[in-house]
């Protein structure tokens, strides 16, 4: 399902949709964002950039462009290549400024009305917003806004920012925007557009990534450097945590620091799984970090095996590192079909289960009679590991040892990486021996949190002031989780005072 209309028509069209369920806690999103300004054929370049970020969200996508007069939108459910499947679409998205979004949502939030970028016509003019992250006090703010008369059109947490901007009493759009950001908690990398130009920013802790690049006068923002690579832009630098960058229609840049410079806490899971391995994040090659995690894992948890086998594709770099460190040969013992999407990023459990089977097949001739060590980046619910271990046994493996290139995922993420509620996380339910038993492996080990920190170039994790957000492993959340507290679900959750 796709539609073409001006952004304001889109905003009106979705007006009669069901209101956001204030009790619904399914607000998390995994997303990628891309934008450009002072760029010829901006919308088609944004589509290219979004294509490179497709792994960050496969359910829906959209682009809004600005032709100097009007904002125009095209959004739909599906991959970038499905939603932007012919050149005529770009004829309806003219202009030298555009931004786009790829999105995955958890159950309940998958309708077209939630597909970003969102757009609104405010008293101060047109305003579009593309958001990667999750606002941890969105429901609380929304409840307050609704009581004061705001009418929401989507169930997305991002819309809260639009209403806060709309109701702020500051005179300029930039001041209203900063005023809105001061009220929100959680993780946000944002690309916004107004008639004056583009505003890109990261939350004060820089939990979610955002980088900036250029080709001549054209400026680009992308969730990951791979987006810049694909459009041929030169990497300038990361948008700093807490930085707000304004770019006008001539490509002139100004930087603002409305939140001071608190110590950054970028998400460590971007290195473990989420980013593409050909991206550079925080100055580190994601691929090299993953290999280094594999090396740490081999030192910490050796396995008596004949072959190192990666779970494709997420386990490949760590398996190379494990093989290099241990001296055990690396082999492709599982072959992946390239015609099935990411296993995890499927909204329903049923779709996820069927996909694991369609996606992977054992390389029987290689496996038969061998002791193998399987490497994957993480265990969440345990679905993938259980099936892959079984697949290796069915293919005749004599021993199956499982090694995981991250610490146990014991806690939910409230910052835009979708993890299920805590009760569904295998590591929250079981100890190591029980987990090994559950996935039916001969042995199971995870890299330690300090091993992971060493792999990202730190000596060790600083317990009082961790260099990353590692809440999914440590339970140490760097921001307040107001909605969770309000819902009475924050028992035992560590948060800043
Ligand atoms: P599970 O089968 O639930 O244990 O999920 C583990 C698999 O999902 C691993 O192979 C990971 O590569 C992948 N994965 C882990 N975390 C995420 C996430 N937040 N989003 C998408 N995929 C993930």
């Amino acid at each position: 399902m796709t539609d073409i209309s001006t952004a304001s028509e889109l905003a009106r069209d979705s007006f009669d949709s069901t209101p956001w369920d204030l009790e619904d806690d399914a607000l998390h999103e995994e997303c990628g964002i891309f934008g450009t300004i002072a760029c010829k054929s901006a919308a088609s370049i944004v589509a290219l950039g979004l294509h490179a970020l497709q792994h960050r969200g496969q359910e829906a996508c959209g682009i809004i462009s600005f032709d100097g007069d009007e904002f125009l939108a095209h959004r739909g459910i599906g991959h970038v290549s499905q939603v932007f499947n012919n050149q005529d679409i770009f004829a309806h998205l003219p202009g030298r400024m555009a931004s786009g979004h790829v999105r995955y949502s958890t159950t309940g939030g998958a309708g077209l009305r939630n597909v970003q970028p969102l757009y609104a016509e405010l008293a101060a003019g047109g305003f579009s917003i593309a958001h990667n992250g999750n606002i941890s006090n969105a429901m609380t703010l929304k409840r307050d806004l609704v009581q004061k008369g705001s009418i929401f059109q989507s169930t997305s947490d991002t819309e809260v920012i639009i209403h806060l901007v709309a109701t702020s009493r500051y005179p300029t759009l930039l001041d209203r925007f900063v005023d809105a950001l001061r009220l929100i908690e959680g993780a946000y990398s944002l690309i916004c557009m107004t008639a004056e130009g583009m505003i890109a920013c990261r939350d004060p802790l820089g939990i979610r990534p955002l980088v900036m690049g250029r080709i001549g006068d054209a400026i680009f923002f992308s969730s990951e450097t791979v987006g810049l690579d694909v459009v041929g832009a030169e990497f300038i630098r990361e948008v700093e945590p807490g930085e707000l960058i304004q770019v006008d229609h001539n490509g002139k840049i100004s930087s603002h620091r409305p939140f001071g410079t608190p110590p950054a806490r970028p998400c460590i899971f971007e290195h473990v799984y989420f980013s593409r391995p050909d991206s550079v994040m925080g100055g580190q090659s994601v691929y090299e970090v993953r290999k280094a995690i594999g090396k740490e894992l081999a030192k910490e948890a050796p396995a008596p095996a004949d072959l190192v086998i990666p779970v494709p594709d997420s386990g490949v770099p760590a398996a190379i590192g494990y093989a290099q460190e241990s001296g055990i040969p690396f082999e492709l013992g599982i072959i992946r079909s390239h015609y099935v999407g990411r296993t995890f990023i499927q909204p329903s459990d049923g779709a996820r289960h069927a996909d694991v089977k369609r996606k992977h097949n054992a390389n029987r001739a290689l496996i038969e009679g061998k002791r193998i060590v399987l490497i994957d980046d993480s265990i969440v619910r345990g679905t993938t590991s259980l099936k892959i271990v079984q697949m290796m046994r069915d293919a005749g493996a004599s021993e199956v040892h499982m090694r995981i290139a991250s610490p146990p995922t014991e806690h939910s993420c409230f910052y835009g990486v979708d993890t299920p509620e805590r009760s569904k996380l295998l590591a929250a339910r079981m100890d190591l021996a029980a987990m090994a038993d559950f996935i039916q492996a001969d042995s199971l080990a995870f890299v330690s949190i300090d091993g992971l920190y060493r792999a990202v170039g730190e000596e060790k994790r600083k317990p009082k002031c961790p260099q990353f957000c590692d809440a999914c492993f440590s339970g140490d959340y760097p921001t307040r989780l107001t909605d969770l507290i309000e819902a009475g679900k924050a028992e035992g959750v560590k948060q800043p005072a």
Side-chain angles (χ1 to χ4, degrees), residues 30 55 104 269 272-274 311-315 342-346 352 356 359-360 375-386 388 402 404 409 413 416-420 424-426 439:
E30 295 183 325
H55 59 287
Y104 162 78
F269 199 70
V272 168
Y273 171 82
F274 209 46
V311 177
D313 290 328
S314 50
R342 271 187 162 186
T343 309
F344 193 98
I345 305 190
Q346 295 287 348
R352 213 167 8 242
V356 176
K359 195 167 162 185
H360 297 120
I375 313 284
D376 202 359
D377 65 285
S378 56
I379 292 182
V380 181
R381 300 172 184 81
T383 321
T384 309
S385 304
L386 175 63
I388 299 272
M402 188 89 199
I404 302 296
T409 303
C413 176
V417 171
D418 175 49
T419 41
K424 292 196 178 140
L425 297 172
L426 198 68
I439 65 167

Side-chain angles (χ1 to χ4, degrees), residues 102-115:
V102 287
R103 169 168 199 271
Y104 162 78
S105 73
T106 52
T107 331
L112 190 58
R113 68 203 159 108
N114 286 332
V115 181

Side-chain angles (χ1 to χ4, degrees), residues 85 110 118 120 150 156 161 169 260 273 276 284 286 382-383 396 467 488:
N85 57 4
L118 300 181
S150 291
S156 156
I161 302 177
R169 293 176 183 272
Y273 171 82
R276 254 175 66 158
Q284 308 254 37
V286 173
T383 321
Q467 303 90 315

